Amino acid sequence: MSDKKSANAMWGGRFSAGPDAIMEAINASIGYDQKMAAQDIEGSRAHAAMLVACGIISDNDGAAIGEGLLTVLSEIESGKFEFSTALEDIHMNVESRLTKLIGPAAGRLHTARSRNDQVATDFKLWVRGQMDAAIEGLTELMKVFVGQAEAGIDMVMPGFTHLQVAQPVTWGHHMMAYVEMLARDRSRFVDARKRMNESPLGAAALAGTSFPIDRHMTAEALGFDAPSANSLDAVSDRDFALEFLSSASICATHISRMAEELVIWSSAQFRFVTISDRFSTGSSIMPQKKNPDAAELLRAKVGRINGSLIALLTIMKGLPLAYSKDMQEDKEQVFDAADSLMLSLAALSGMVADMRPNPEPLRTAAESGFSTATDLADWLVRALNMPFRDAHHVTGALVKMAEDRGCDLHELSLEDMQSIEAQITDAVYEVLGVDNSVASRISYGGTAPSQVSAQIARWKAALI
């Protein structure tokens, strides 16, 4: 075999030519950055209008460019546009088509601009749109959880630590915990959106431009708060993408935690909830199975989103200012994570809206595992003025007695209790029921139905 054939064998049958084909394949980004076509054309139209306003290009050329770009956008949206790998990216594909439509005037569009500030602008516009979508999706998901909470304000269920029954709580309280988590997720996207809303357009390749452009005009036209203040930073910054991925990763973690609870709660061993058939699958061999596949897939999505964050952090960690070709690898990570996040938000909204809590198994579990032991200890402190550490010891002894007899605390007789602590009276039974237990947790943010109702009202008003 000749050296040439040996070399080609390294590339396999994927390429019809040698290094030139390899270079085209690794260099081109049109396979994925065509996703930013609308943003690219929006930015170009704003840039062209500014060039006209500043007297840099003529009115006629500006009008031709603006109309031509709308034609290109229409072709892309209708699926008639033919993307070319040889033209590398969305920017050159659009400009090439614009040139065929309007002729030499298209060549004036790139005056006072570089692909460096162009791609930074396109990408920012796209990510900003995804942040807005995430904020909206989170708001809708929060409303779904509030609805579940309102339907089960006083429904008793077990609260867990270490996945062991700890104390009784209410269904409403548990659902509202996710509202608080999702609210923090939403606030992260809101904060990140404010921070990233500066326009890179006009920074050019890295040093700005000698043309008398108006960067404030293009920033305003594109919905940015202001132009970026440093041209080097403007073209090399990808913090906005990192913050999107970071916020998405934390949000996906919360989604995964709820998904894990749904997997556990819907099992035959728990039977806490029934997941609708719309979000379940069957088994090809076991006819009795109803698998929570949607929840399991939600649980897995966080790994994919986290991976995108780590990938982009790794890409950016060693890059000197300003632009390096490494940064072309930023978009696929963000595109994939955004798709995964939005699908996860929609799927969880559907699952939570459809799921049905089962009150009897929830109550039975809440009454197990000596879940009112803390209530007993608190009663000893309040009623008998006992130091809490002594109360903890007495309660532990009573739990041991009940455990040895195979009964719960409220099933012990008064005589049994007095054999451990003589001062106990029959008033103790008032705190040993799970309903009394949850009703007593009246501290702000507690599980008492009165507190849960107040939190529901607060969030219903905030989410209108």
Side-chain angles (χ1 to χ4, degrees):
M1 183 180 291
S2 70
D3 290 343
K4 183 176 181 180
K5 288 184 178 179
S6 295
N8 285 339
M10 291 175 63
W11 305 317
R14 177 66 179 83
F15 301 96
S16 58
D20 288 347
I22 296 283
M23 184 59 198
E24 180 177 300
I26 198 172
N27 194 49
S29 59
I30 189 60
Y32 50 86
D33 70 11
Q34 61 185 261
K35 208 177 185 84
M36 301 190 302
Q39 290 76 23
D40 189 72
I41 289 170
E42 181 185 7
S44 290
R45 294 188 79 237
H47 184 68
M50 180 273 295
L51 292 176
V52 170
C54 293
I56 298 171
I57 66 174
S58 70
D59 289 347
N60 288 340
D61 285 345
I65 290 169
E67 290 301 314
L69 286 169
L70 289 178
T71 300
V72 175
L73 179 61
S74 176
E75 291 178 353
I76 292 173
E77 290 178 340
S78 65
K80 297 177 181 178
F81 191 95
E82 293 185 10
F83 293 101
S84 168
T85 304
L87 292 171
E88 296 184 14
D89 55 33
I90 186 61
H91 325 299
M92 297 308 295
N93 270 263
V94 168
E95 186 173 326
S96 174
R97 179 58 181 152
L98 183 64
T99 300
K100 291 178 182 177
L101 288 171
I102 69 171
R108 301 190 184 280
L109 173 60
H110 212 54
T111 307
R113 185 177 74 169
S114 163
R115 275 194 290 179
N116 291 354
D117 63 334
Q118 187 179 2
V119 68
T121 303
D122 292 359
F123 198 21
K124 266 200 173 184
L125 289 171
W126 193 91
V127 171
R128 190 178 69 186
Q130 293 303 301
M131 287 183 175
D132 289 341
I135 291 165
E136 182 179 348
L138 282 161
T139 300
E140 292 307 308
L141 181 55
M142 290 167 69
K143 290 178 181 178
V144 170
F145 273 106
V146 169
Q148 276 285 357
E150 193 168 24
I153 290 174
D154 56 0
M155 187 186 300
V156 177
M157 68 173 289
F160 295 95
T161 60
H162 309 281
L163 204 55
Q164 307 294 313
V165 173
Q167 292 177 274
V169 296
T170 57
W171 175 263
H173 193 53
H174 199 108
M175 293 298 100
M176 292 305 293
Y178 281 99
V179 175
E180 297 293 334
M181 287 187 213
L182 297 170
R184 293 193 297 274
D185 292 329
R186 190 176 65 164
S187 71
R188 274 183 278 271
F189 284 113
V190 170
D191 289 346
R193 191 193 191 284
K194 291 177 183 175
R195 204 160 22 253
M196 62 90 73
N197 207 34
E198 295 181 347
S199 174
L201 194 57
L206 75 161
T209 177
S210 60
F211 288 95
I213 62 173
D214 185 347
R215 294 190 62 209
H216 288 86
M217 179 180 173
T218 49
E220 182 177 355
L222 296 172
F224 289 109
D225 296 328
S228 53
N230 184 285
S231 59
L232 284 168
D233 179 57
V235 299
S236 63
D237 166 49
R238 291 299 183 269
D239 287 2
F240 62 93
L242 289 168
E243 285 203 72
F244 174 80
L245 291 175
S246 176
S247 299
S249 294
I250 298 171
C251 180
T253 298
H254 291 152
I255 292 172
S256 180
R257 293 183 72 178
M258 183 60 194
E260 169 72 357
E261 295 206 302
L262 289 174
V263 171
I264 294 171
W265 290 354
S266 63
S267 68
Q269 290 73 27
F270 277 74
R271 296 184 299 112
F272 285 1
V273 299
T274 300
I275 297 176
S276 76
D277 292 347
R278 295 199 310 143
F279 294 97
S280 305
T281 64
S283 167
S284 62
I285 190 172
M286 294 170 285
Q288 84 282 8
K289 294 293 293 297
K290 182 178 179 180
N291 299 324
D293 280 12
E296 291 171 358
L297 289 166
L298 288 177
R299 195 172 54 184
K301 287 292 185 185
V302 66
R304 187 166 178 163
I305 295 172
N306 284 353
S308 295
L309 171 60
I310 296 303
L312 187 52
L313 284 168
T314 305
I315 289 166
M316 297 301 299
K317 74 171 184 63
L319 299 186
L321 296 180
Y323 181 83
S324 297
K325 193 68 171 179
D326 311 48
M327 292 164 69
Q328 183 169 293
E329 293 292 314
D330 57 0
K331 294 166 201 66
E332 284 182 285
Q333 315 300 332
V334 177
F335 293 163
D336 184 76
D339 288 345
S340 294
L341 179 65
M342 294 312 300
L343 180 59
S344 296
L345 289 170
L348 187 59
S349 290
M351 290 188 75
V352 173
D354 282 2
M355 75 179 178
R356 187 178 73 249
N358 300 320
E360 289 186 14
L362 287 167
R363 173 174 285 274
T364 299
E367 292 174 340
S368 69
F370 311 106
S371 64
T372 57
T374 304
D375 298 274
L376 173 56
D378 289 345
W379 182 87
L380 292 170
V381 172
R382 287 195 310 270
L384 305 183
N385 197 31
M386 187 179 292
F388 183 80
R389 285 302 169 202
D390 293 342
H392 187 283
H393 179 77
V394 169
T395 301
L398 289 170
V399 167
K400 179 67 167 60
M401 176 186 288
E403 191 173 44
D404 290 343
R405 296 185 182 184
C407 66
D408 211 334
L409 283 170
H410 71 276
E411 295 174 308
L412 292 174
S413 69
L414 181 59
E415 291 75 19
D416 289 333
M417 292 192 183
Q418 289 176 338
S419 70
I420 301 295
E421 173 50 59
Q423 297 182 74
I424 294 177
T425 68
D426 58 4
V428 73
Y429 292 102
E430 295 176 5
V431 303
L432 294 181
V434 291
D435 293 298
N436 289 333
S437 173
V438 297
S440 71
R441 305 293 171 180
I442 57 174
S443 57
Y444 181 82
T447 193
S450 59
Q451 282 295 319
V452 175
S453 295
Q455 295 300 327
I456 289 174
R458 178 175 71 90
W459 276 113
K460 285 180 74 174
L463 292 171
I464 291 175

